[in-house]
């Protein structure tokens, strides 16, 4: 027989909270599948849409940065160079943009049912990953067209993806909490990410940033993700250790986001 | 484990801070304790609910019914006090919560089941039972948006019942949908009751569910003020709500010509005839108090003037506060080519109207019962009852039925 004590202070241990989140993984999964179906299966273009999106983005950036400005990308042709950055950035901004308003958008569910609220954000991982995957397929095609060779380091790709997901989730979790207090935050954050893309080495290699400005990239975990992703894909030398600063920051923010969620979770209904 | 407690609530309070969006800034919201006024949605609730009991939670708007349920459902935390819950809880604060209209019934079974914390395996093991109970196996792969409201609810309930929770919490589910929907929902809850689950139902229409409940609790402004069998609790609820509205309602015991002419609606061309209701009064003739007692004689007095080339009927229609017709009474009026002024008394004998709220309409019809003129919702009147002679909540009116009791005694003299 289950026995539960409901009291003002939700004294649940971190361990059992994580356990609870895990128990509700099916719920997240269902939400994700629903979202994917809504987004893809019921539209005319379907999954093709996200492929086209990445291609159009790539064409524009190729024109501007590859042909007009002629950014030096070494031996790697510009489209092959730029696409990994673009799909990483798309996934990141998807996670941030879609999870920041998730609490206010799911008010009807939150007001009617208990589930770990964090699972709403976790449900965003899968739909974004699908787009990321299709973008990666496009990359593979372009990769083969330009005849760049594979390398054994590709085995580390999942690791990069996991770090990327953590980055997106962390920002998403924090903005979703803070947007309970500042309603327009989720709008602001979309503008901020639109700006952030330019201080992230999406269109250019991080190495072209002068040494004394490099710290801006170091503080930006997505910069690190993209740099490592490229290094792995092209089998080039790993970026300098400065990027680890960003990862350190994001890990701290991630853990603290989970702890904050655990603490204020029950209050969320009243804050909505 | 059949006996024992299902829920123990001790000193439960819930305090809300009034949100004033115009003045409260970012930092005020972060420290709600220091800003604004607060009010208690629930104050020091103490309640024990036994295993297998069906509890109705009633009270007027803002009494804290839904807040109580939300705390039990862990949707919102209490401010102080505690609740001990024994067993698995399924909270149904809304029928079909989390259903995605774009997904099929089959997919929604999984979604809904997962929302209630079931694993895929658990759902699969119950799938056949759910679909069987749903009763429309051919539609299981149809998108839920194409379902009728009845099918939608059947699906929702067949999932809910198969969660096999020990405690079910229902919030106002009977107030959505039409009366057919309500009837179905009630039947489903009756089924659930047979599974010996503990059930809490919040409602503002206690008359619909009193036969289901073992006990009812009455909340008023956040306090638990009554906790008894359904009959006594409903009477207490009506007393409380009629007290609250007595000032407002008593004024309406007399309705004047201005108000009445605003209410007048003609449904056909009168062709030179006319009818004007001049006033509407309701009172107890033998005492002069403002409240009206159902256990005394009640008079409805109407003054009207008319010109008509045809005989017609004046109909007094008495409804409950939800607009359901309870009783009609009519008077035949003779034709008259000159303007007639009439004073009409309709006298209801004592104990004909039970304590409840009634809404009065006056309708004019021809002798074929075709409505010509309507005065809808003339007034709401709360009928009270001073004696406990009849079960006042059991229905709205009292019909004088004769009882003929015959007792057969057997040879030993013991009654059978």
């Amino acid at each position: 027989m289950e026995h539960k004590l409901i009291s003002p202070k939700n004294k649940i241990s971190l361990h059992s909270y994580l356990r609870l989140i895990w128990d509700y993984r099916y719920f997240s999964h269902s939400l994700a599948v629903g979202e994917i179906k809504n987004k893809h299966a019921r539209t005319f273009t379907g999954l093709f849409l996200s492929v086209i999106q990445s291609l159009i983005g790539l064409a524009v950036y190729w024109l501007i940065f590859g042909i007009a400005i002629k950014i030096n990308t070494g031996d790697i042709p510009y489209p092959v160079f730029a696409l990994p950055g673009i799909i990483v950035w798309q996934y990141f901004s998807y996670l941030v943009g879609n999870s920041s308003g998730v609490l206010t958008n799911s008010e009807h569910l939150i007001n009617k049912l208990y589930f770990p609220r964090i699972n709403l954000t976790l449900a965003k991982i899968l739909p974004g990953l699908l787009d990321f995957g299709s973008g990666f397929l496009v990359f593979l095609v372009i990769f083969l067209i330009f005849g760049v060779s594979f390398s054994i380091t590709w085995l580390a790709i999942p690791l990069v993806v996991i770090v990327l997901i953590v980055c997106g989730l962390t920002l998403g979790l924090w903005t979703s909490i803070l947007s309970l207090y500042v309603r327009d935050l989720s709008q602001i954050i979309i503008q901020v990410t639109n700006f952030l893309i330019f201080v992230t080495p999406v269109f250019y290699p991080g190495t072209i940033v002068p040494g004394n400005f490099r710290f801006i990239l170091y503080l930006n975990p997505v910069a690190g993700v993209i740099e490592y992703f490229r290094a792995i894909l092209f089998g080039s030398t790993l970026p300098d250790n400065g990027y680890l600063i960003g990862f350190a920051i994001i890990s701290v923010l991630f853990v603290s986001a989970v702890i904050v969620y655990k603490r204020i979770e029950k209050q969320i209904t009243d804050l909505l | 484990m059949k006996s024992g407690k299902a829920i123990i609530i001790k000193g439960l309070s819930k305090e809300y801070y009034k949100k004033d969006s115009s003045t409260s800034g970012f930092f005020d919201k972060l420290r709600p304790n220091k800003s604004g006024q607060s009010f208690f949605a629930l104050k020091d609730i103490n309640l024990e609910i036994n295993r297998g009991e069906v509890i109705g939670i009633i009270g007027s708007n803002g009494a804290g019914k839904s807040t109580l349920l939300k705390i039990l459902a862990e949707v919102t935390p209490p401010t102080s006090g505690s609740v001990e819950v024994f067993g698995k809880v399924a909270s149904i604060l809304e029928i079909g919560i989390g259903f995605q209209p774009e997904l099929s019934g089959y997919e929604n079974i999984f979604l809904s089941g997962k929302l209630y914390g079931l694993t895929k395996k658990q759902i699969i093991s119950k799938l056949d039972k759910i679909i069987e109970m749903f009763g429309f196996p051919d539609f299981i792969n149809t998108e839920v948006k194409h379902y009728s409201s009845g099918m939608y609810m059947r699906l929702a309930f067949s999932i809910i019942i198969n969660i096999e929770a020990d405690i079910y919490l229902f919030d106002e589910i009977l107030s959505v949908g039409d009366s057919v929907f309500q009837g179905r929902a009630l039947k489903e809850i009756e089924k659930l009751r047979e599974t010996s689950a503990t059930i809490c139902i919040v409602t503002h229409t206690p008359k619909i569910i009193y036969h289901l409940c073992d006990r009812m609790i009455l909340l008023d402004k956040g306090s638990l003020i009554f906790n008894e069998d359904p009959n006594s609790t409903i009477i207490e609820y009506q007393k409380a709500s009629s007290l609250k509205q007595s000032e407002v309602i008593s004024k309406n015991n007399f309705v004047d010509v201005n108000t009445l002419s605003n209410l007048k609606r003609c449904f056909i061309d009168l062709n030179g005839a006319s009818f004007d209701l001049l006033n509407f009064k309701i009172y107890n003739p033998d005492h002069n108090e403002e409240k009206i007692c159902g256990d005394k004689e009640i008079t409805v007095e109407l003054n009207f003037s008319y010109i008509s080339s045809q005989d017609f009927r004046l109909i007094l229609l008495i409804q409950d506060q939800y607009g359901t017709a309870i009783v009609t009474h009519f008077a035949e009026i003779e034709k008259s080519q000159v303007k007639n002024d009439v004073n009409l008394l309709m006298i209801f004998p004592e104990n004909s109207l039970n304590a409840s709220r009634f809404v009065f309409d006056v309708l004019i019809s021809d002798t074929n019962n075709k409505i010509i003129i309507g005065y809808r919702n003339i007034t709401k009147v709360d009928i009270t009852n001073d004696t406990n002679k009849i079960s006042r909540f059991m229905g709205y009116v009292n019909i004088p039925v004769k009882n003929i009791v015959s007792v057969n005694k057997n040879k030993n003299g013991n009654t059978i």
Side-chain angles (χ1 to χ4, degrees):
Chain A
M1 181 64 59
E2 282 179 51
H3 173 239
K4 212 167 15 185
L5 181 74
I6 303 169
S7 62
K9 289 255 160 58
N10 184 25
K11 284 185 200 128
I12 180 173
S13 68
L14 188 61
H15 173 259
S16 39
Y17 184 60
L18 294 176
R19 177 77 205 225
L20 202 60
I21 294 169
W22 180 245
D23 285 345
Y24 273 86
R25 65 191 182 278
Y26 301 103
F27 164 60
S28 294
H29 178 257
S30 269
L31 283 181
V33 170
E35 186 168 331
I36 291 168
K37 283 203 167 164
N38 271 332
K39 201 176 157 200
H40 296 300
R42 327 260 159 191
T43 55
F44 178 66
T45 46
L47 196 64
F48 204 55
L49 189 73
S50 49
V51 174
I52 295 171
Q53 255 178 345
S54 346
L55 280 178
I56 292 175
L58 178 67
V60 171
Y61 300 136
W62 190 6
L63 268 173
I64 300 173
F65 298 99
I67 297 171
I69 303 181
K70 288 202 180 71
I71 284 175
N72 179 19
T73 55
D75 316 332
I76 302 142
Y78 188 77
V80 181
F81 171 83
L83 197 53
I86 293 170
I87 61 174
V88 163
W89 187 263
Q90 272 175 350
Y91 193 8
F92 175 74
S93 64
Y94 174 87
L95 280 176
V96 176
N98 282 281
S99 48
S100 56
V102 81
L103 292 177
T104 36
N105 293 340
S106 311
E107 195 174 343
H108 64 287
L109 271 185
I110 291 174
N111 270 330
K112 302 282 181 189
L113 217 57
Y114 174 73
F115 52 87
R117 309 312 190 197
I118 213 165
N119 284 56
L120 288 171
T121 308
L122 298 181
K124 302 292 173 191
I125 295 175
L126 203 59
L129 192 61
L130 200 67
D131 287 350
F132 182 83
S134 60
F136 191 75
L137 286 178
V138 174
F139 168 76
L140 274 184
V141 172
I142 293 176
F143 191 78
L144 292 172
I145 291 171
F146 284 90
V148 186
S149 57
F150 289 93
S151 100
I152 185 78
T153 50
W154 280 43
L155 292 173
I157 291 173
L159 196 67
V160 174
V161 175
I162 289 170
V163 177
L164 171 62
I165 290 171
V166 171
C167 289
L169 282 184
T170 305
L171 237 71
L173 288 174
W174 272 109
T175 45
S176 63
I177 296 170
L178 292 175
S179 63
L180 292 175
Y181 301 98
V182 188
R183 270 303 156 105
D184 24 20
L185 194 72
S186 54
Q187 298 301 316
I188 298 169
I189 203 75
I190 291 169
Q191 302 307 320
V192 171
T193 42
N194 282 345
F195 161 76
L196 268 180
I197 190 169
F198 295 103
V199 290
T200 307
V202 175
F203 315 121
Y204 51 86
T207 44
I208 67 167
V209 176
N212 29 348
F213 290 104
R214 196 69 70 78
F215 73 94
I216 298 175
L217 296 190
Y218 292 161
L219 294 177
N220 178 354
V222 190
V225 170
I226 292 176
E227 288 293 293
Y228 275 95
F229 194 33
R230 281 189 190 128
I232 286 165
L233 288 175
F234 308 137
S236 50
T237 50
L238 286 176
D240 54 293
N241 290 334
Y243 290 106
L244 296 177
I245 299 171
F247 296 153
I249 294 172
I250 213 75
S251 337
V252 173
L253 285 177
F254 181 68
V255 173
S256 55
V258 175
I259 291 169
V260 169
Y261 247 89
K262 177 176 101 69
R263 279 201 62 167
I264 71 152
E265 181 166 76
K266 292 281 169 74
Q267 267 94 28
I268 286 173
T269 320
D270 299 343
L271 290 168
L272 279 169
Chain B
M1 198 176 143
K2 267 214 153 181
S3 60
K5 302 288 177 208
I7 299 173
I8 303 172
I9 302 173
K10 280 187 196 147
L12 191 73
S13 295
K14 175 74 187 178
E15 193 177 11
Y16 276 112
Y17 298 95
K18 281 180 186 163
K19 282 178 192 165
D20 188 350
S21 51
S22 61
T23 57
S24 69
F26 176 69
F27 291 103
D28 296 330
K29 235 184 161 184
L30 286 179
R31 291 167 297 167
N33 296 323
K34 291 180 182 169
S35 74
Q37 302 146 292
S38 69
F39 69 97
F40 280 92
L42 287 175
K43 265 181 289 191
D44 195 28
I45 304 285
N46 291 291
L47 179 68
E48 292 192 353
I49 298 172
N50 298 319
R51 192 164 298 286
E53 228 179 349
V54 181
I55 300 277
I57 301 168
I58 63 175
S60 45
N61 285 332
K65 310 182 291 287
S66 297
T67 310
L68 179 60
L69 223 57
K70 277 185 173 179
I71 292 174
L72 295 182
E74 285 189 275
V75 168
T76 185
T79 309
S80 60
S82 70
V83 183
E84 270 187 277
V85 182
F86 300 89
K88 186 179 156 96
V89 181
S91 56
I92 299 94
L93 306 194
E94 189 184 306
I95 287 289
I97 180 73
F99 272 13
Q100 293 247 13
E102 294 285 338
L103 297 185
S104 70
Y106 185 83
E107 290 166 308
N108 268 306
I109 292 175
F110 280 88
L111 176 59
S112 207
K114 287 164 183 177
L115 255 175
Y116 286 111
L118 300 186
T119 63
K120 202 168 179 174
K121 259 189 198 162
Q122 285 172 312
I123 300 169
I124 289 170
S125 70
K126 288 167 183 171
L127 200 56
D128 290 341
K129 248 175 120 188
I130 293 174
I131 296 174
E132 191 197 316
M133 211 178 267
F134 170 52
F136 303 94
D138 301 342
F139 287 91
I140 201 69
N141 289 316
T142 311
E143 287 164 1
V144 164
K145 64 177 174 185
H146 299 305
Y147 280 19
S148 71
S149 67
M151 285 164 71
Y152 189 85
M153 197 187 58
R154 283 285 284 279
L155 183 65
F157 265 104
S158 43
I159 297 167
I160 291 162
I161 290 175
N162 282 294
I163 295 167
E164 289 171 9
D166 303 299
I167 300 164
Y168 286 91
L169 309 171
F170 290 101
D171 186 14
E172 288 296 357
I173 52 156
L174 300 169
S175 61
V176 293
D178 52 19
S179 53
V180 181
F181 188 91
Q182 278 186 6
R184 288 204 186 111
L186 280 175
K187 264 187 205 157
E188 301 292 345
I189 294 178
E190 271 168 55
K191 270 189 223 160
L192 199 57
R193 197 183 176 207
E194 285 159 18
T195 66
S196 73
T198 310
I199 306 173
C200 298
I201 311 173
V202 158
T203 182
H204 6 242
T205 46
K207 282 178 183 173
I208 306 178
I209 58 154
Y210 77 88
H211 65 285
L212 285 174
C213 296
D214 298 312
R215 189 149 58 106
M216 275 195 179
I217 62 167
L218 174 59
L219 296 178
D220 185 50
K221 289 178 194 142
S223 302
L224 197 159
I225 58 171
F226 212 76
N227 175 7
E228 294 274 339
D229 62 295
N231 299 8
S232 333
T233 312
I234 292 179
I235 291 170
E236 198 63 28
Y237 175 46
Q238 286 178 337
K239 255 191 217 164
S241 57
S242 65
L243 267 180
K244 249 185 231 164
Q245 272 124 6
S246 61
E247 321 95 82
V248 188
I249 295 299
S250 60
K251 284 178 198 143
N252 296 338
N253 292 352
F254 173 79
V255 183
D256 64 7
V257 65
N258 292 332
T259 319
L260 288 167
S261 61
N262 284 335
L263 289 169
K264 183 177 173 181
R265 297 284 177 272
C266 292
F267 300 114
I268 57 166
D269 185 17
L270 295 182
N271 238 339
S274 77
F275 177 92
D276 285 296
L277 194 58
L278 301 174
N279 67 46
F280 176 100
K281 275 187 222 170
I282 177 166
Y283 52 86
N284 288 125
D286 55 342
H287 75 138
N288 242 352
E289 281 178 52
E290 296 224 317
K291 70 173 183 178
I292 296 164
C293 296
D295 45 1
K296 300 192 176 69
E297 204 172 77
I298 294 173
T299 300
V300 174
E301 183 177 348
L302 301 169
N303 282 305
F304 57 90
S305 63
Y306 71 95
I307 304 170
S308 172
S309 56
Q310 309 250 312
D311 291 350
F312 64 94
R313 283 178 187 152
L314 183 145
I315 303 166
L316 179 73
L317 168 62
I318 305 179
Q319 305 154 79
D320 70 1
Q321 53 180 319
Y322 314 108
T324 315
I326 307 294
V327 175
T328 51
H329 175 72
F330 66 89
E332 305 275 8
I333 313 289
E334 283 180 7
K335 60 187 171 189
S336 163
Q337 298 296 348
V338 293
K339 194 172 181 183
N340 265 358
D341 283 321
V342 182
N343 176 273
L344 171 65
L345 300 179
M346 291 176 166
I347 297 165
F348 291 82
E350 57 179 32
N351 287 329
S352 52
L353 296 181
N354 292 340
S356 188
R357 174 175 295 176
F358 294 100
V359 178
F360 289 83
D361 285 9
V362 171
L363 307 168
I364 304 301
S365 80
D366 63 16
T367 44
N368 295 323
N369 285 332
K370 186 177 176 193
I371 308 289
I372 301 165
I373 300 172
Y375 292 86
R376 303 295 315 271
N377 299 332
I378 293 176
T379 180
K380 281 181 199 165
V381 176
D382 281 341
I383 305 287
T384 57
N385 199 320
D386 282 346
T387 60
N388 285 314
K389 207 160 78 186
I390 41 174
S391 56
R392 292 165 297 177
F393 83 93
M394 293 284 201
Y396 294 98
V397 293
N398 193 33
I399 300 171
V401 180
K402 267 186 195 162
N403 298 330
I404 298 172
V405 183
S406 51
V407 180
N408 292 324
K409 290 193 173 174
N410 66 14
K411 279 179 185 171
N412 302 328
N414 298 327
T415 48
I416 297 164

